Amino acid sequence: MKKNYYGDTIKFWNEVFDHPNYDAFWRARNLPQHLNNIRPAVLIVGGWFDAEDLYGPLHIYHAIEESSPSAKNSIMIGPWFHGGWVRSNGSRLGNVSFNIKSSEYYDSLIRKFFNYHLKGIGELALPEVSAFETGSNVWKTYDSWPPKNVERKKIYLQKNEQLSFDQPKDSIGADEYVSDPNRPVPYTNEITNGRSREYMTEDQRFVWQRPDVLSYEMKVKDDITISGPITANLFVSTTGTDADFVVKVIDVFPQTMKDDSTNPPNIKMGGYQMMVRVK
């Protein structure tokens, strides 16, 4: 394929093909390890729905915090796709509206940041962490990331496709499914020319009822806010020689949610399953 379609002349392209796994070639190119003795002021900007690189902003921020604790290092993460803080007003992504033009917050601070640090003009009261909270759709500021005043919680898979903070009483149990490589689970329900940025908030009901997808739901009476890293620990067995597992954290909207008049008529927001994070 390389010779037929790409001429086999691009060195880096050949190197990518030669290193399909995360080996020494890729480890040497992992940027955070090289961020030492940082002296300039830094404002790291990223998007919660950045399909290309959410890893980068969070890990760069932590790397600078650890290697250069005296550096003026701040981070801002909004409800944006890759570059969405300057390429959109940040009011929505796909079918989901965030009710405010979130990019205006970035605009107000980035100008002050450069005027203050490059020109010595004005004053700057820059939060250590500025994080947009989806659901409530408000900006929150913190002294650290993850926030210090949060409780680390474990969520357990339960019987009957349920989730709970309570550890299961039964120590033995399993759910199973049949995965057919000839009928793979798609990442989107849309027909697109390449990967679309909107799939990051796409309604997941199109895969929810597939027999080769396991879905678990938590019954809650009060709102739950998740702030900080999400880790999925899976205990699995397979009859295949290898397997890839994708875990999605989904915000299920209330059935009483009103439709958005700016969406197409077929987009129903009642029970909408908005993808929040994919691991």
Side-chain angles (χ1 to χ4, degrees):
M1 184 184 74
K2 289 190 297 178
K3 291 183 178 180
N4 291 339
Y5 294 99
Y6 300 105
D8 200 26
T9 59
I10 303 175
K11 182 176 183 295
F12 182 69
W13 182 263
N14 291 331
E15 290 176 338
V16 169
F17 267 83
D18 292 338
H19 298 275
N21 301 317
Y22 188 68
D23 56 13
F25 174 83
W26 293 111
R27 285 194 292 270
R29 289 160 174 77
N30 193 345
L31 182 60
Q33 64 183 313
H34 303 296
L35 298 174
N36 300 305
N37 194 27
I38 302 300
R39 297 180 181 179
V42 180
L43 173 57
I44 300 164
V45 181
W48 290 129
F49 303 109
D50 186 340
E52 287 86 350
D53 188 23
L54 176 58
Y55 175 96
L58 293 170
H59 285 78
I60 287 174
Y61 170 76
H62 284 295
I64 296 176
E65 287 291 292
E66 293 177 2
S67 68
S68 307
S70 62
K72 294 180 179 180
N73 181 42
S74 301
I75 185 170
M76 176 190 301
I77 302 188
W80 303 314
F81 57 88
H82 192 69
W85 49 93
V86 293
R87 292 193 283 158
S88 74
N89 63 19
S91 62
R92 66 183 304 114
L93 181 58
N95 301 320
V96 177
S97 172
F98 303 118
N99 297 330
I100 67 170
K101 296 179 180 179
S102 61
S103 296
E104 291 181 349
Y105 181 80
Y106 165 83
D107 288 338
S108 67
L109 286 182
I110 196 65
R111 298 176 190 277
K112 293 179 181 179
F113 179 82
F114 285 122
N115 280 332
Y116 181 80
H117 288 292
L118 297 182
K119 300 179 180 180
I121 298 175
E123 298 180 353
L124 181 65
L126 187 65
E128 176 75 10
V129 177
S130 300
F132 190 86
E133 185 178 276
T134 59
S136 61
N137 294 331
V138 295
W139 281 101
K140 294 290 186 70
T141 59
Y142 304 98
D143 295 329
S144 65
W145 189 262
K148 295 179 180 179
N149 60 336
V150 297
E151 181 181 1
R152 185 172 182 177
K153 301 283 288 185
K154 292 182 179 180
I155 299 177
Y156 298 92
L157 306 183
Q158 308 284 349
K159 292 181 179 180
N160 302 318
E161 300 179 335
Q162 297 297 305
L163 292 174
S164 173
F165 288 121
D166 299 324
Q167 187 171 354
K169 296 180 180 179
D170 297 331
S171 59
I172 298 176
D175 291 326
E176 64 179 19
Y177 63 93
V178 176
S179 177
D180 182 0
N182 293 316
R183 190 174 177 265
V185 179
Y187 78 92
T188 180
N189 198 37
E190 302 295 329
I191 298 176
T192 62
N193 182 15
R195 183 177 63 186
S196 71
R197 60 176 68 124
E198 289 78 15
Y199 94 92
M200 291 295 290
T201 59
E202 187 176 353
D203 190 349
Q204 298 299 300
R205 283 179 286 194
F206 77 97
V207 291
W208 176 48
Q209 294 180 328
R210 283 182 60 116
D212 53 354
V213 173
L214 299 179
S215 299
Y216 301 85
E217 186 173 3
M218 176 177 282
K219 302 296 184 181
V220 294
K221 296 181 180 179
D222 300 319
D223 292 339
I224 297 176
T225 300
I226 300 175
S227 296
I230 299 171
T231 303
N233 295 316
L234 302 178
F235 300 89
V236 302
S237 62
T238 175
T239 59
T241 56
D242 65 88
D244 294 321
F245 296 93
V246 176
V247 177
K248 296 178 180 179
V249 178
I250 296 171
D251 183 8
V252 181
F253 291 6
Q255 292 293 339
T256 55
M257 189 83 168
K258 294 182 179 180
D259 293 340
D260 188 334
S261 61
T262 61
N263 284 334
N266 63 305
I267 303 299
K268 303 302 179 182
M269 302 309 293
Y272 190 97
Q273 297 183 8
M274 176 183 129
M275 187 165 71
V276 176
R277 182 66 62 246
V278 59
K279 303 288 288 185

mmCIF file of all heavy atoms in Angstrom, residues 225-272:
data_model
loop_
_atom_site.group_PDB
_atom_site.id
_atom_site.type_symbol
_atom_site.label_atom_id
_atom_site.label_comp_id
_atom_site.label_asym_id
_atom_site.label_seq_id
_atom_site.Cartn_x
_atom_site.Cartn_y
_atom_site.Cartn_z
ATOM 1 N N THR A 225 -20.852 15.245 40.044
ATOM 2 C CA THR A 225 -19.836 15.966 39.275
ATOM 3 C C THR A 225 -18.541 15.170 39.303
ATOM 4 O O THR A 225 -18.048 14.806 40.365
ATOM 5 C CB THR A 225 -19.586 17.369 39.864
ATOM 6 O OG1 THR A 225 -20.804 18.110 39.835
ATOM 7 C CG2 THR A 225 -18.531 18.109 39.055
ATOM 8 N N ILE A 226 -18.008 14.886 38.125
ATOM 9 C CA ILE A 226 -16.740 14.166 38.004
ATOM 10 C C ILE A 226 -15.670 15.158 37.586
ATOM 11 O O ILE A 226 -15.775 15.795 36.541
ATOM 12 C CB ILE A 226 -16.836 13.030 36.976
ATOM 13 C CG1 ILE A 226 -17.916 12.030 37.389
ATOM 14 C CG2 ILE A 226 -15.491 12.324 36.820
ATOM 15 C CD1 ILE A 226 -18.166 10.939 36.366
ATOM 16 N N SER A 227 -14.646 15.299 38.412
ATOM 17 C CA SER A 227 -13.534 16.207 38.115
ATOM 18 C C SER A 227 -12.230 15.467 38.367
ATOM 19 O O SER A 227 -12.002 14.990 39.481
ATOM 20 C CB SER A 227 -13.585 17.469 38.994
ATOM 21 O OG SER A 227 -14.749 18.220 38.722
ATOM 22 N N GLY A 228 -11.405 15.385 37.345
ATOM 23 C CA GLY A 228 -10.129 14.693 37.502
ATOM 24 C C GLY A 228 -10.020 13.503 36.567
ATOM 25 O O GLY A 228 -10.907 13.237 35.740
ATOM 26 N N PRO A 229 -8.942 12.738 36.690
ATOM 27 C CA PRO A 229 -8.702 11.615 35.776
ATOM 28 C C PRO A 229 -9.671 10.471 35.989
ATOM 29 O O PRO A 229 -10.152 10.238 37.099
ATOM 30 C CB PRO A 229 -7.259 11.189 36.109
ATOM 31 C CG PRO A 229 -7.053 11.640 37.523
ATOM 32 C CD PRO A 229 -7.838 12.911 37.667
ATOM 33 N N ILE A 230 -9.962 9.768 34.911
ATOM 34 C CA ILE A 230 -10.832 8.597 34.937
ATOM 35 C C ILE A 230 -10.014 7.392 34.495
ATOM 36 O O ILE A 230 -9.381 7.412 33.436
ATOM 37 C CB ILE A 230 -12.048 8.773 34.008
ATOM 38 C CG1 ILE A 230 -12.899 9.971 34.462
ATOM 39 C CG2 ILE A 230 -12.888 7.511 33.954
ATOM 40 C CD1 ILE A 230 -13.986 10.342 33.480
ATOM 41 N N THR A 231 -10.009 6.354 35.305
ATOM 42 C CA THR A 231 -9.261 5.134 34.992
ATOM 43 C C THR A 231 -10.215 3.956 34.969
ATOM 44 O O THR A 231 -11.042 3.801 35.864
ATOM 45 C CB THR A 231 -8.152 4.877 36.031
ATOM 46 O OG1 THR A 231 -7.284 6.014 36.082
ATOM 47 C CG2 THR A 231 -7.351 3.634 35.673
ATOM 48 N N ALA A 232 -10.101 3.131 33.942
ATOM 49 C CA ALA A 232 -10.943 1.939 33.821
ATOM 50 C C ALA A 232 -10.078 0.702 34.034
ATOM 51 O O ALA A 232 -9.105 0.486 33.310
ATOM 52 C CB ALA A 232 -11.607 1.897 32.450
ATOM 53 N N ASN A 233 -10.426 -0.101 35.031
ATOM 54 C CA ASN A 233 -9.748 -1.363 35.299
ATOM 55 C C ASN A 233 -10.661 -2.507 34.878
ATOM 56 O O ASN A 233 -11.738 -2.691 35.458
ATOM 57 C CB ASN A 233 -9.395 -1.482 36.782
ATOM 58 C CG ASN A 233 -8.381 -0.443 37.215
ATOM 59 O OD1 ASN A 233 -7.402 -0.192 36.527
ATOM 60 N ND2 ASN A 233 -8.612 0.178 38.357
ATOM 61 N N LEU A 234 -10.237 -3.271 33.875
ATOM 62 C CA LEU A 234 -11.048 -4.351 33.343
ATOM 63 C C LEU A 234 -10.394 -5.698 33.644
ATOM 64 O O LEU A 234 -9.165 -5.834 33.568
ATOM 65 C CB LEU A 234 -11.221 -4.206 31.831
ATOM 66 C CG LEU A 234 -11.845 -2.903 31.321
ATOM 67 C CD1 LEU A 234 -11.897 -2.918 29.799
ATOM 68 C CD2 LEU A 234 -13.236 -2.710 31.894
ATOM 69 N N PHE A 235 -11.205 -6.673 33.979
ATOM 70 C CA PHE A 235 -10.749 -8.046 34.163
ATOM 71 C C PHE A 235 -11.470 -8.875 33.105
ATOM 72 O O PHE A 235 -12.688 -9.092 33.210
ATOM 73 C CB PHE A 235 -11.068 -8.535 35.576
ATOM 74 C CG PHE A 235 -10.420 -7.702 36.650
ATOM 75 C CD1 PHE A 235 -11.063 -6.582 37.163
ATOM 76 C CD2 PHE A 235 -9.157 -8.023 37.129
ATOM 77 C CE1 PHE A 235 -10.472 -5.807 38.148
ATOM 78 C CE2 PHE A 235 -8.560 -7.258 38.112
ATOM 79 C CZ PHE A 235 -9.209 -6.138 38.621
ATOM 80 N N VAL A 236 -10.744 -9.326 32.097
ATOM 81 C CA VAL A 236 -11.381 -9.916 30.923
ATOM 82 C C VAL A 236 -10.697 -11.223 30.530
ATOM 83 O O VAL A 236 -9.547 -11.486 30.894
ATOM 84 C CB VAL A 236 -11.338 -8.947 29.726
ATOM 85 C CG1 VAL A 236 -12.009 -7.634 30.071
ATOM 86 C CG2 VAL A 236 -9.907 -8.706 29.267
ATOM 87 N N SER A 237 -11.419 -12.008 29.783
ATOM 88 C CA SER A 237 -10.866 -13.175 29.103
ATOM 89 C C SER A 237 -11.479 -13.202 27.709
ATOM 90 O O SER A 237 -12.598 -12.712 27.490
ATOM 91 C CB SER A 237 -11.183 -14.468 29.853
ATOM 92 O OG SER A 237 -12.578 -14.680 29.924
ATOM 93 N N THR A 238 -10.765 -13.763 26.756
ATOM 94 C CA THR A 238 -11.231 -13.774 25.380
ATOM 95 C C THR A 238 -10.829 -15.067 24.696
ATOM 96 O O THR A 238 -9.797 -15.667 25.028
ATOM 97 C CB THR A 238 -10.659 -12.580 24.589
ATOM 98 O OG1 THR A 238 -11.052 -12.685 23.212
ATOM 99 C CG2 THR A 238 -9.142 -12.537 24.664
ATOM 100 N N THR A 239 -11.657 -15.513 23.757
ATOM 101 C CA THR A 239 -11.322 -16.681 22.962
ATOM 102 C C THR A 239 -10.471 -16.303 21.757
ATOM 103 O O THR A 239 -10.003 -17.183 21.030
ATOM 104 C CB THR A 239 -12.592 -17.384 22.471
ATOM 105 O OG1 THR A 239 -13.365 -16.459 21.685
ATOM 106 C CG2 THR A 239 -13.433 -17.877 23.640
ATOM 107 N N GLY A 240 -10.284 -15.007 21.536
ATOM 108 C CA GLY A 240 -9.468 -14.553 20.423
ATOM 109 C C GLY A 240 -7.998 -14.473 20.789
ATOM 110 O O GLY A 240 -7.598 -14.681 21.941
ATOM 111 N N THR A 241 -7.171 -14.160 19.803
ATOM 112 C CA THR A 241 -5.733 -14.029 20.038
ATOM 113 C C THR A 241 -5.365 -12.657 20.581
ATOM 114 O O THR A 241 -4.319 -12.495 21.201
ATOM 115 C CB THR A 241 -4.957 -14.288 18.735
ATOM 116 O OG1 THR A 241 -5.430 -13.379 17.718
ATOM 117 C CG2 THR A 241 -5.171 -15.724 18.251
ATOM 118 N N ASP A 242 -6.197 -11.656 20.345
ATOM 119 C CA ASP A 242 -5.993 -10.322 20.895
ATOM 120 C C ASP A 242 -7.316 -9.581 20.841
ATOM 121 O O ASP A 242 -8.263 -10.026 20.188
ATOM 122 C CB ASP A 242 -4.913 -9.562 20.113
ATOM 123 C CG ASP A 242 -5.329 -9.297 18.672
ATOM 124 O OD1 ASP A 242 -5.968 -8.265 18.441
ATOM 125 O OD2 ASP A 242 -5.039 -10.141 17.791
ATOM 126 N N ALA A 243 -7.379 -8.458 21.545
ATOM 127 C CA ALA A 243 -8.625 -7.686 21.583
ATOM 128 C C ALA A 243 -8.343 -6.257 22.000
ATOM 129 O O ALA A 243 -7.378 -5.992 22.729
ATOM 130 C CB ALA A 243 -9.627 -8.327 22.545
ATOM 131 N N ASP A 244 -9.152 -5.346 21.517
ATOM 132 C CA ASP A 244 -9.129 -3.949 21.943
ATOM 133 C C ASP A 244 -10.433 -3.660 22.681
ATOM 134 O O ASP A 244 -11.514 -4.017 22.204
ATOM 135 C CB ASP A 244 -8.999 -3.002 20.744
ATOM 136 C CG ASP A 244 -7.666 -3.145 20.032
ATOM 137 O OD1 ASP A 244 -6.647 -3.324 20.726
ATOM 138 O OD2 ASP A 244 -7.644 -3.097 18.786
ATOM 139 N N PHE A 245 -10.315 -2.997 23.836
ATOM 140 C CA PHE A 245 -11.494 -2.657 24.620
ATOM 141 C C PHE A 245 -11.609 -1.139 24.724
ATOM 142 O O PHE A 245 -10.625 -0.459 25.034
ATOM 143 C CB PHE A 245 -11.413 -3.275 26.018
ATOM 144 C CG PHE A 245 -11.425 -4.784 26.006
ATOM 145 C CD1 PHE A 245 -10.238 -5.493 25.990
ATOM 146 C CD2 PHE A 245 -12.628 -5.473 25.988
ATOM 147 C CE1 PHE A 245 -10.247 -6.880 25.971
ATOM 148 C CE2 PHE A 245 -12.643 -6.859 25.964
ATOM 149 C CZ PHE A 245 -11.447 -7.570 25.960
ATOM 150 N N VAL A 246 -12.788 -0.623 24.455
ATOM 151 C CA VAL A 246 -13.074 0.807 24.536
ATOM 152 C C VAL A 246 -14.105 1.023 25.631
ATOM 153 O O VAL A 246 -15.157 0.363 25.637
ATOM 154 C CB VAL A 246 -13.605 1.346 23.192
ATOM 155 C CG1 VAL A 246 -13.985 2.813 23.327
ATOM 156 C CG2 VAL A 246 -12.548 1.174 22.099
ATOM 157 N N VAL A 247 -13.793 1.920 26.568
ATOM 158 C CA VAL A 247 -14.711 2.241 27.661
ATOM 159 C C VAL A 247 -15.178 3.687 27.495
ATOM 160 O O VAL A 247 -14.360 4.598 27.323
ATOM 161 C CB VAL A 247 -14.031 2.070 29.036
ATOM 162 C CG1 VAL A 247 -14.980 2.477 30.155
ATOM 163 C CG2 VAL A 247 -13.580 0.622 29.214
ATOM 164 N N LYS A 248 -16.477 3.901 27.528
ATOM 165 C CA LYS A 248 -17.040 5.234 27.375
ATOM 166 C C LYS A 248 -17.764 5.657 28.656
ATOM 167 O O LYS A 248 -18.517 4.866 29.232
ATOM 168 C CB LYS A 248 -18.035 5.281 26.210
ATOM 169 C CG LYS A 248 -17.409 5.014 24.840
ATOM 170 C CD LYS A 248 -18.465 5.026 23.744
ATOM 171 C CE LYS A 248 -17.834 4.764 22.378
ATOM 172 N NZ LYS A 248 -18.853 4.746 21.291
ATOM 173 N N VAL A 249 -17.512 6.888 29.070
ATOM 174 C CA VAL A 249 -18.273 7.507 30.150
ATOM 175 C C VAL A 249 -19.329 8.387 29.492
ATOM 176 O O VAL A 249 -19.000 9.267 28.689
ATOM 177 C CB VAL A 249 -17.377 8.333 31.080
ATOM 178 C CG1 VAL A 249 -18.209 9.011 32.168
ATOM 179 C CG2 VAL A 249 -16.306 7.451 31.706
ATOM 180 N N ILE A 250 -20.599 8.142 29.829
ATOM 181 C CA ILE A 250 -21.710 8.781 29.117
ATOM 182 C C ILE A 250 -22.626 9.505 30.097
ATOM 183 O O ILE A 250 -22.936 8.995 31.174
ATOM 184 C CB ILE A 250 -22.516 7.713 28.337
ATOM 185 C CG1 ILE A 250 -21.627 7.087 27.243
ATOM 186 C CG2 ILE A 250 -23.778 8.304 27.727
ATOM 187 C CD1 ILE A 250 -22.258 5.885 26.581
ATOM 188 N N ASP A 251 -23.031 10.707 29.720
ATOM 189 C CA ASP A 251 -24.004 11.483 30.482
ATOM 190 C C ASP A 251 -25.372 11.287 29.829
ATOM 191 O O ASP A 251 -25.592 11.714 28.690
ATOM 192 C CB ASP A 251 -23.615 12.958 30.480
ATOM 193 C CG ASP A 251 -24.553 13.824 31.311
ATOM 194 O OD1 ASP A 251 -25.411 13.263 32.018
ATOM 195 O OD2 ASP A 251 -24.430 15.063 31.249
ATOM 196 N N VAL A 252 -26.276 10.618 30.538
ATOM 197 C CA VAL A 252 -27.615 10.372 30.011
ATOM 198 C C VAL A 252 -28.529 11.525 30.420
ATOM 199 O O VAL A 252 -28.754 11.765 31.601
ATOM 200 C CB VAL A 252 -28.181 9.038 30.528
ATOM 201 C CG1 VAL A 252 -29.572 8.794 29.955
ATOM 202 C CG2 VAL A 252 -27.248 7.885 30.166
ATOM 203 N N PHE A 253 -29.060 12.229 29.438
ATOM 204 C CA PHE A 253 -29.925 13.369 29.718
ATOM 205 C C PHE A 253 -31.283 12.888 30.228
ATOM 206 O O PHE A 253 -31.733 11.789 29.890
ATOM 207 C CB PHE A 253 -30.128 14.205 28.457
ATOM 208 C CG PHE A 253 -28.895 14.940 27.990
ATOM 209 C CD1 PHE A 253 -27.664 14.746 28.589
ATOM 210 C CD2 PHE A 253 -28.963 15.839 26.933
ATOM 211 C CE1 PHE A 253 -26.531 15.411 28.165
ATOM 212 C CE2 PHE A 253 -27.841 16.519 26.498
ATOM 213 C CZ PHE A 253 -26.618 16.304 27.116
ATOM 214 N N PRO A 254 -31.966 13.705 31.022
ATOM 215 C CA PRO A 254 -33.310 13.342 31.495
ATOM 216 C C PRO A 254 -34.271 13.144 30.318
ATOM 217 O O PRO A 254 -34.135 13.791 29.268
ATOM 218 C CB PRO A 254 -33.724 14.540 32.346
ATOM 219 C CG PRO A 254 -32.443 15.226 32.718
ATOM 220 C CD PRO A 254 -31.512 14.998 31.572
ATOM 221 N N GLN A 255 -35.231 12.268 30.497
ATOM 222 C CA GLN A 255 -36.228 12.045 29.445
ATOM 223 C C GLN A 255 -37.055 13.293 29.191
ATOM 224 O O GLN A 255 -37.650 13.448 28.124
ATOM 225 C CB GLN A 255 -37.136 10.871 29.834
ATOM 226 C CG GLN A 255 -36.446 9.521 29.860
ATOM 227 C CD GLN A 255 -35.998 9.057 28.480
ATOM 228 O OE1 GLN A 255 -36.505 9.524 27.451
ATOM 229 N NE2 GLN A 255 -35.044 8.139 28.456
ATOM 230 N N THR A 256 -37.091 14.195 30.172
ATOM 231 C CA THR A 256 -37.881 15.418 30.040
ATOM 232 C C THR A 256 -37.105 16.543 29.349
ATOM 233 O O THR A 256 -37.631 17.651 29.205
ATOM 234 C CB THR A 256 -38.321 15.901 31.432
ATOM 235 O OG1 THR A 256 -37.159 16.056 32.275
ATOM 236 C CG2 THR A 256 -39.270 14.897 32.073
ATOM 237 N N MET A 257 -35.885 16.259 28.937
ATOM 238 C CA MET A 257 -35.061 17.286 28.291
ATOM 239 C C MET A 257 -35.741 17.771 27.011
ATOM 240 O O MET A 257 -36.174 16.975 26.174
ATOM 241 C CB MET A 257 -33.682 16.711 27.951
ATOM 242 C CG MET A 257 -32.679 17.727 27.468
ATOM 243 S SD MET A 257 -31.917 18.551 28.881
ATOM 244 C CE MET A 257 -30.560 19.396 28.061
ATOM 245 N N LYS A 258 -35.839 19.087 26.864
ATOM 246 C CA LYS A 258 -36.474 19.647 25.681
ATOM 247 C C LYS A 258 -35.533 19.589 24.486
ATOM 248 O O LYS A 258 -34.316 19.696 24.625
ATOM 249 C CB LYS A 258 -36.889 21.094 25.945
ATOM 250 C CG LYS A 258 -37.980 21.247 27.000
ATOM 251 C CD LYS A 258 -38.373 22.709 27.174
ATOM 252 C CE LYS A 258 -39.484 22.850 28.198
ATOM 253 N NZ LYS A 258 -39.885 24.271 28.386
ATOM 254 N N ASP A 259 -36.108 19.440 23.306
ATOM 255 C CA ASP A 259 -35.307 19.419 22.085
ATOM 256 C C ASP A 259 -34.717 20.792 21.813
ATOM 257 O O ASP A 259 -35.294 21.824 22.200
ATOM 258 C CB ASP A 259 -36.160 18.975 20.894
ATOM 259 C CG ASP A 259 -36.591 17.521 20.999
ATOM 260 O OD1 ASP A 259 -35.947 16.775 21.762
ATOM 261 O OD2 ASP A 259 -37.559 17.141 20.314
ATOM 262 N N ASP A 260 -33.587 20.803 21.153
ATOM 263 C CA ASP A 260 -32.909 22.041 20.771
ATOM 264 C C ASP A 260 -33.416 22.452 19.392
ATOM 265 O O ASP A 260 -33.264 21.708 18.414
ATOM 266 C CB ASP A 260 -31.393 21.807 20.746
ATOM 267 C CG ASP A 260 -30.594 23.086 20.555
ATOM 268 O OD1 ASP A 260 -31.131 24.047 19.962
ATOM 269 O OD2 ASP A 260 -29.429 23.126 20.978
ATOM 270 N N SER A 261 -34.012 23.620 19.301
ATOM 271 C CA SER A 261 -34.623 24.075 18.044
ATOM 272 C C SER A 261 -33.593 24.286 16.940
ATOM 273 O O SER A 261 -33.947 24.325 15.759
ATOM 274 C CB SER A 261 -35.408 25.368 18.277
ATOM 275 O OG SER A 261 -34.550 26.407 18.748
ATOM 276 N N THR A 262 -32.309 24.409 17.316
ATOM 277 C CA THR A 262 -31.267 24.601 16.296
ATOM 278 C C THR A 262 -30.781 23.278 15.723
ATOM 279 O O THR A 262 -30.027 23.268 14.743
ATOM 280 C CB THR A 262 -30.074 25.372 16.881
ATOM 281 O OG1 THR A 262 -29.497 24.627 17.963
ATOM 282 C CG2 THR A 262 -30.511 26.730 17.398
ATOM 283 N N ASN A 263 -31.184 22.159 16.317
ATOM 284 C CA ASN A 263 -30.831 20.846 15.790
ATOM 285 C C ASN A 263 -31.852 20.396 14.749
ATOM 286 O O ASN A 263 -32.982 20.897 14.722
ATOM 287 C CB ASN A 263 -30.802 19.809 16.923
ATOM 288 C CG ASN A 263 -29.558 19.924 17.789
ATOM 289 O OD1 ASN A 263 -28.517 20.395 17.343
ATOM 290 N ND2 ASN A 263 -29.667 19.470 19.034
ATOM 291 N N PRO A 264 -31.504 19.417 13.915
ATOM 292 C CA PRO A 264 -32.504 18.832 13.012
ATOM 293 C C PRO A 264 -33.645 18.209 13.807
ATOM 294 O O PRO A 264 -33.463 17.778 14.955
ATOM 295 C CB PRO A 264 -31.700 17.758 12.261
ATOM 296 C CG PRO A 264 -30.269 18.209 12.348
ATOM 297 C CD PRO A 264 -30.142 18.895 13.671
ATOM 298 N N PRO A 265 -34.843 18.152 13.242
ATOM 299 C CA PRO A 265 -36.020 17.662 13.972
ATOM 300 C C PRO A 265 -35.877 16.230 14.493
ATOM 301 O O PRO A 265 -36.536 15.861 15.466
ATOM 302 C CB PRO A 265 -37.143 17.755 12.925
ATOM 303 C CG PRO A 265 -36.671 18.772 11.947
ATOM 304 C CD PRO A 265 -35.186 18.636 11.896
ATOM 305 N N ASN A 266 -35.031 15.427 13.854
ATOM 306 C CA ASN A 266 -34.903 14.026 14.271
ATOM 307 C C ASN A 266 -33.999 13.846 15.494
ATOM 308 O O ASN A 266 -33.913 12.744 16.042
ATOM 309 C CB ASN A 266 -34.351 13.179 13.122
ATOM 310 C CG ASN A 266 -32.941 13.601 12.713
ATOM 311 O OD1 ASN A 266 -32.707 14.772 12.408
ATOM 312 N ND2 ASN A 266 -32.018 12.657 12.685
ATOM 313 N N ILE A 267 -33.331 14.917 15.941
ATOM 314 C CA ILE A 267 -32.447 14.831 17.101
ATOM 315 C C ILE A 267 -33.264 15.068 18.358
ATOM 316 O O ILE A 267 -33.704 16.190 18.629
ATOM 317 C CB ILE A 267 -31.291 15.842 17.012
ATOM 318 C CG1 ILE A 267 -30.498 15.634 15.722
ATOM 319 C CG2 ILE A 267 -30.388 15.724 18.231
ATOM 320 C CD1 ILE A 267 -29.871 14.268 15.598
ATOM 321 N N LYS A 268 -33.481 14.010 19.123
ATOM 322 C CA LYS A 268 -34.271 14.080 20.337
ATOM 323 C C LYS A 268 -33.352 14.108 21.553
ATOM 324 O O LYS A 268 -32.550 13.198 21.760
ATOM 325 C CB LYS A 268 -35.223 12.887 20.426
ATOM 326 C CG LYS A 268 -36.169 12.757 19.226
ATOM 327 C CD LYS A 268 -37.024 14.007 19.050
ATOM 328 C CE LYS A 268 -37.950 13.910 17.853
ATOM 329 N NZ LYS A 268 -38.746 15.154 17.663
ATOM 330 N N MET A 269 -33.468 15.172 22.356
ATOM 331 C CA MET A 269 -32.566 15.353 23.497
ATOM 332 C C MET A 269 -33.038 14.626 24.750
ATOM 333 O O MET A 269 -32.260 14.422 25.679
ATOM 334 C CB MET A 269 -32.392 16.840 23.793
ATOM 335 C CG MET A 269 -31.849 17.655 22.615
ATOM 336 S SD MET A 269 -30.354 16.959 21.863
ATOM 337 C CE MET A 269 -29.159 17.168 23.191
ATOM 338 N N GLY A 270 -34.304 14.218 24.803
ATOM 339 C CA GLY A 270 -34.779 13.426 25.925
ATOM 340 C C GLY A 270 -34.125 12.054 25.907
ATOM 341 O O GLY A 270 -34.309 11.295 24.950
ATOM 342 N N GLY A 271 -33.351 11.729 26.938
ATOM 343 C CA GLY A 271 -32.627 10.468 26.976
ATOM 344 C C GLY A 271 -31.359 10.447 26.149
ATOM 345 O O GLY A 271 -30.741 9.384 25.990
ATOM 346 N N TYR A 272 -30.964 11.589 25.628
ATOM 347 C CA TYR A 272 -29.739 11.691 24.822
ATOM 348 C C TYR A 272 -28.548 11.153 25.620
ATOM 349 O O TYR A 272 -28.380 11.463 26.808
ATOM 350 C CB TYR A 272 -29.501 13.154 24.451
ATOM 351 C CG TYR A 272 -28.415 13.398 23.427
ATOM 352 C CD1 TYR A 272 -28.742 13.563 22.079
ATOM 353 C CD2 TYR A 272 -27.083 13.531 23.789
ATOM 354 C CE1 TYR A 272 -27.757 13.828 21.136
ATOM 355 C CE2 TYR A 272 -26.092 13.778 22.848
ATOM 356 C CZ TYR A 272 -26.435 13.934 21.519
ATOM 357 O OH TYR A 272 -25.446 14.189 20.582
#
